[in-house]
Amino acid sequence: MSSKNAVSPLLRSVSRPHGFEPLRVEGRLPESLRGTLFRAGPGLFERFGASLSHAFEADGAITAVRFDGGGAQGACRIVESAGYREEEAAGRFLYNSAASWLDRMRAARKNSAKSTGNTSTFLWQNRLFALMEGGLLQEMEPGTLNTLEATDLGVVSGAFSAHPHRVASLRTTFNFGVRYGPKMLIDLYALPDEGVASKLGTIEAPWQSMMHDFIATERHLILFVGPVKLNLLRAMLGLADFTKLFQWKPELGARLIVVPLDDIQSPRTFELDAFWTWHFANAFEEGDGPSVDLCRYPEFSLSDIGELEESGPPPLLTRLHLDMNTGKARETKLFDVPCDFPQLHPRMHGARYGTLFAQTERRGTDRKYPGITRIGLERGGSAEWAVPAGHVPSEPVLVPRGEAEDDAFVLDLVYDSTSDHSYVAVLDGQHLEDGPVATVHFDHAIPVTFHGGFSAAR
């Protein structure tokens, strides 16, 4: 997304926040689909008569659709964090680039930030959290989407990234958080399926950068530091809007930092040619080191977050095999069609896998053809649901039915520009090309959402 596209309906504020209410269903919802889809994204692009420079600064909105085996209810609520409530009381922005320089300096001196919850949802031990890049976990009430309090889970030092990753065989979710200062520090966390969260340790980054995602295997955490530099002084003094704080520095190259889970303080760094990634697909151990699958962009841009690049070389699904003996990386292109927002069957997280689902965008001479695609990595082949003209898909969310990697419902929140409303498409992962078995419709548009998850009914 970009400021030049600010008239896009996906970049409008939520028009009607509301609790759960019945949604219109077309087709027949599967009886076995029971639980709640949660999605997170920016919800308020302007407040107090001022617009924001970038969606990453917006207060979040959590959208949910509850499936009960035949019907569906939907809700969309603003994340009313402590910082949001403080701004409402003050009648002005206090924490982002739309705030006054004095208010930004006050926030910097207090080392305080607003947990906007505008990037992802995280479900852990029957709790729902809204996550962002640089703040604590903002807890939400899953049954109502009411905003609760932000939490550090007793271990988070200051930030908890929007991309936790679970390793199925370890029954543990891992994550990181970045602390900026004289040196950029990366805190590492483990959240077991049962038990309490813990801080694994802290490592130092080679330079002040933006870190959005990472990935985990049964033996390693793999961190990406791209050739992007933060102007820390300008950030601390509030001298630039968000979009001008980070600079592409291809001469730095890229780094993959491989951290052994059994020896956090002995990371191994792989130096690579310059590239950027927003999202990893998966990673797994094989032979002499881990293989890492990611959506590889040739360069960094903040202009199109939430959609595939509008111009220039597109992101391609790429595998990097890291040889722990030689310190070398081998690169393989896995799929020819531009794609991002990759997802796979939950039981395959952290393990060797053969099937991936992603948001794709085939490109013709006159227009682009977005869709949701199932990609066969081992046997080859793919299947695609090409969305109708004027419809905009989002990250697919998988709801497993069986053990096979493609045996899942695929849920996708779609914006229909022809009628200015949003709906959830319910697809059969094994017959993706047949299109939705059912669609569930809001009576209004949902702003762009980035990431989400599904909580199965118990």
Side-chain angles (χ1 to χ4, degrees):
M1 74 184 57
S2 65
S3 58
K4 67 181 178 351
N5 292 332
V7 296
S8 166
L10 287 175
L11 305 183
R12 296 183 310 209
S13 296
V14 174
S15 62
R16 187 174 68 84
H18 58 87
F20 282 97
E21 59 188 32
L23 300 180
R24 177 172 60 87
V25 176
E26 293 184 358
R28 184 174 182 178
L29 287 170
E31 173 65 26
S32 60
L33 181 59
R34 294 177 177 271
T36 305
L37 169 71
F38 295 101
R39 298 286 301 169
L44 296 176
F45 291 91
E46 61 282 320
R47 291 170 68 198
F48 315 118
S51 298
L52 298 173
S53 67
H54 198 275
F56 274 0
E57 295 190 298
D59 294 282
I62 304 301
T63 300
V65 176
R66 183 186 295 151
F67 299 90
D68 60 13
Q73 294 183 320
C76 182
R77 287 203 180 278
I78 300 300
V79 179
E80 298 183 0
S81 65
Y84 170 91
R85 295 193 298 270
E86 186 182 353
E87 290 176 332
E88 287 292 292
R92 66 182 189 275
F93 283 117
L94 300 173
Y95 289 99
N96 51 38
S97 64
S100 70
W101 183 82
L102 184 59
D103 282 328
R104 280 181 279 172
M105 288 298 296
R106 288 192 184 111
R109 283 200 304 270
K110 295 178 183 178
N111 194 28
S112 60
K114 180 170 59 170
S115 295
T116 59
N118 63 13
T119 308
S120 184
T121 62
F122 174 45
L123 296 152
W124 181 62
Q125 296 187 359
N126 299 319
R127 299 167 72 181
L128 172 66
F129 304 95
L131 304 182
M132 60 170 288
E133 292 298 296
L136 298 177
L137 301 86
Q138 177 59 64
E139 189 159 9
M140 310 291 289
E141 209 292 309
T144 62
L145 297 191
N146 289 337
T147 305
L148 304 177
E149 296 301 317
T151 176
D152 63 5
L153 298 180
V155 298
V156 177
S157 298
F160 190 82
S161 97
H163 278 287
H165 285 282
R166 182 175 183 269
V167 176
S169 63
L170 301 181
R171 294 178 53 79
T172 299
T173 298
F174 299 94
N175 203 8
F176 72 94
V178 169
R179 284 183 285 151
Y180 294 106
K183 297 179 179 179
M184 182 172 124
L185 302 177
I186 307 170
D187 300 310
L188 304 173
Y189 302 103
L191 290 79
D193 290 357
E194 298 177 358
V196 298
S198 64
K199 183 175 179 178
L200 299 175
T202 301
I203 65 171
E204 184 179 321
W207 55 78
Q208 307 274 1
S209 184
M210 171 185 280
M211 287 185 63
H212 183 74
D213 198 2
F214 83 116
I215 201 64
T217 73
E218 296 174 332
R219 295 174 52 193
H220 297 100
L221 305 181
I222 301 164
L223 308 168
F224 173 74
V225 181
V228 171
K229 269 201 167 183
L230 168 68
N231 189 319
L232 185 61
L233 180 62
R234 292 179 70 85
M236 293 178 64
L237 296 178
L239 296 178
D241 68 43
F242 182 85
T243 62
K244 298 177 181 177
L245 293 178
F246 295 93
Q247 288 187 312
W248 174 245
K249 298 283 187 179
E251 64 274 13
L252 295 173
R255 302 287 188 274
L256 281 179
I257 304 175
V258 183
V259 184
L261 283 170
D262 61 359
D263 190 2
I264 295 295
Q265 297 307 319
S266 299
R268 182 79 173 274
T269 299
F270 287 75
E271 298 185 5
L272 307 170
D273 291 338
F275 74 95
W276 182 256
T277 186
W278 287 109
H279 302 119
F280 287 85
N282 197 25
F284 54 91
E285 302 288 339
E286 62 171 349
D288 45 22
S291 286
V292 182
D293 295 351
L294 50 84
C295 297
R296 186 188 191 281
Y297 287 83
E299 59 187 39
F300 169 82
S301 172
L302 278 171
S303 64
D304 296 294
I305 308 303
E307 56 192 62
L308 303 187
E309 287 287 349
E310 291 186 349
S311 61
L316 294 176
L317 185 64
T318 302
R319 175 167 294 172
L320 298 173
H321 178 70
L322 309 180
D323 189 324
M324 300 294 285
N325 296 322
T326 65
K328 302 294 184 181
R330 184 176 69 253
E331 181 176 314
T332 305
K333 185 173 64 176
L334 297 178
F335 194 56
D336 290 327
V337 178
C339 67
D340 207 334
F341 301 99
Q343 295 290 309
L344 62 148
H345 195 294
R347 76 176 182 87
M348 305 308 297
H349 290 175
R352 188 177 186 94
Y353 70 116
T355 301
L356 182 72
F357 293 80
Q359 181 183 338
T360 52
E361 188 177 80
R362 300 182 187 274
R363 300 188 174 190
T365 55
D366 56 343
R367 70 181 184 93
K368 301 166 186 175
Y369 301 86
I372 302 300
T373 300
R374 185 185 70 241
I375 304 168
L377 298 178
E378 293 186 342
R379 298 181 181 180
S382 64
E384 178 187 2
W385 173 50
V387 302
H391 293 217
V392 182
S394 61
E395 171 197 64
V397 174
L398 270 60
V399 182
R401 292 180 305 194
E403 291 296 301
E405 292 186 51
D406 61 354
D407 192 5
F409 297 116
V410 180
L411 308 181
D412 202 74
L413 181 62
V414 181
Y415 170 68
D416 178 358
S417 66
T418 66
S419 58
D420 194 26
H421 87 289
S422 298
Y423 65 92
V424 172
V426 180
L427 301 142
D428 183 334
Q430 294 181 323
H431 303 282
L432 208 60
E433 65 280 4
D434 293 343
V437 299
T439 52
V440 178
H441 297 259
F442 286 88
D443 64 4
H444 58 90
I446 301 293
V448 62
T449 63
F450 297 138
H451 304 289
F454 188 82
S455 176
R458 299 180 181 275

